[in-house]
Amino acid sequence: MKSIKVIIAGPRGRMGREAVMLAANTEHFELAAVVDYKFDGKQINEIQGFQLPIEVPVFGNLESCLQHIKADVLIDLTTPEVGMHHTKTALQYNVRPVVGTTGFSKNDLEELERICTEKEIGCIIAPNFAIGAVLMMKFSQMAAKYFQDIEIIELHHDQKLDAPSGTAVKTAEMIAEVREAKKQGHQNEKETITGARGADFDGMHIHSVRLPGLVAHQQVLFGSDGQTLTIRHDSYNRASFMSGVKVAVETVMNLKTFVYGLENILE
């Protein structure tokens, strides 16, 4: 397989560190550079916690990086605001983005899709790179054809910035494709504490839990007369996401379109 030159933005984050190791240890990946505003001009091995057998330059911003480094793919694992800027910048330089950052707005996604269509270049944004999480979403969509009453509970570490999670939102969107909107619960239901019933998405409720000790977990609860069904996925470490990142990097090289959600590239 042809070598794929990769740039990683956000290498010091927990996901970023796993992605660096993935790129450095995958035979047909070449880690060309990383983007980190705190260590501009240094080598990655000068950043605490990294000991790679290769020299990898660090750039303070993506524009400077792309002006000096020729790459095929940008893996962005930053924040929604920075990730949007990085994704648009990468596309301007004909570098294919693979984005694990969540929290993009509908307008953001539509803008990126338009750019990809105009330039005929691939881009993958995945709210969750864990293969098991993607299957959980697909199974939930299947179940929603038979169960209309649904609640989504997502549980993450207490440093996560967005709520609900991108995975929960994507799950609700997929379910909404096959489920008629329905207000759940008692018709005269009243919250005695605001927010007790969670976020409302087409009548479904999404609940966000944030606690230290958690990584990334989600369960989708379905209820019907005399029965319930629970579909759950748990990620216990960030390595669980790397199989999906690898698939996305390999796949984006052959795309000429925008893809939102890893489920759209899994056969």
Side-chain angles (χ1 to χ4, degrees):
M1 186 177 292
K2 181 182 177 182
S3 179
I4 302 173
K5 293 185 177 181
V6 176
I7 294 170
I8 295 175
R12 285 185 293 115
R14 293 172 180 174
M15 279 279 286
R17 288 181 180 273
E18 293 289 347
V20 167
M21 298 311 297
L22 173 72
N25 294 322
T26 301
E27 185 176 355
H28 56 283
F29 287 4
E30 178 184 336
L31 182 57
V34 299
V35 178
D36 188 309
Y37 72 96
K38 283 190 175 182
F39 292 92
D40 186 25
K42 297 185 179 297
Q43 294 289 318
I44 194 169
N45 286 332
E46 296 180 70
I47 302 176
Q48 185 177 4
F50 290 102
Q51 292 183 335
L52 301 183
I54 54 175
E55 292 188 353
V56 178
V58 183
F59 291 85
N61 64 79
L62 184 60
E63 289 89 343
S64 176
C65 180
L66 293 175
Q67 288 167 6
H68 291 86
I69 300 293
K70 182 174 177 57
D72 300 305
V73 174
L74 167 71
I75 300 176
D76 185 87
L77 301 165
T78 56
T79 64
E81 297 78 15
V82 175
M84 182 63 178
H85 173 68
H86 281 177
T87 303
K88 291 170 66 175
T89 301
L91 291 171
Q92 290 172 3
Y93 282 83
N94 294 314
V95 173
R96 299 166 185 268
V98 168
V99 184
T101 304
T102 61
F104 288 102
S105 69
K106 182 179 179 181
N107 289 338
D108 289 339
L109 299 175
E110 289 175 349
E111 181 180 0
L112 294 175
E113 183 173 15
R114 177 183 55 77
I115 295 171
C116 290
T117 300
E118 291 175 354
K119 294 181 69 69
E120 295 186 339
I121 186 172
C123 170
I124 297 174
I125 295 182
N128 199 315
F129 278 112
I131 302 295
V134 175
L135 293 173
M136 175 265 298
M137 290 187 275
K138 291 177 74 73
F139 295 157
S140 296
Q141 186 183 48
M142 293 170 59
K145 295 178 181 179
Y146 307 98
F147 293 83
Q148 257 201 313
D149 291 87
I150 303 164
E151 305 247 346
I152 299 172
I153 304 173
E154 57 94 350
L155 310 92
H156 284 80
H157 56 90
D158 60 344
Q159 298 304 302
K160 185 170 178 58
L161 297 176
D162 55 321
S165 68
T167 300
V169 174
K170 180 64 174 175
T171 304
E173 290 172 346
M174 291 173 63
I175 288 173
E177 292 175 7
V178 301
R179 170 189 176 273
E180 290 185 14
K182 174 190 176 184
K183 178 175 173 55
Q184 297 177 182
H186 195 282
Q187 61 180 357
N188 296 321
E189 180 180 82
K190 180 181 178 181
E191 291 182 333
T192 57
I193 299 177
T194 301
R197 290 291 286 121
D200 187 306
F201 189 107
D202 271 358
M204 290 179 281
H205 292 276
I206 304 176
H207 310 268
S208 297
V209 177
R210 298 290 178 267
L211 287 172
L214 296 172
V215 177
H217 318 262
Q218 180 170 298
Q219 60 185 35
V220 186
L221 289 78
F222 301 85
S224 184
D225 289 340
Q227 62 177 323
T228 62
L229 170 67
T230 301
I231 300 174
R232 180 176 175 116
H233 176 263
D234 299 276
S235 283
Y236 298 106
N237 57 47
R238 273 76 184 179
S240 66
F241 304 114
M242 291 304 109
S243 58
V245 173
K246 181 175 180 289
V247 169
V249 170
E250 293 168 345
T251 302
V252 78
M253 293 296 296
N254 298 313
L255 293 180
K256 294 184 179 181
T257 57
F258 174 83
V259 172
Y260 178 58
L262 200 64
E263 72 279 0
N264 294 304
I265 64 171
L266 296 180
E267 297 182 356

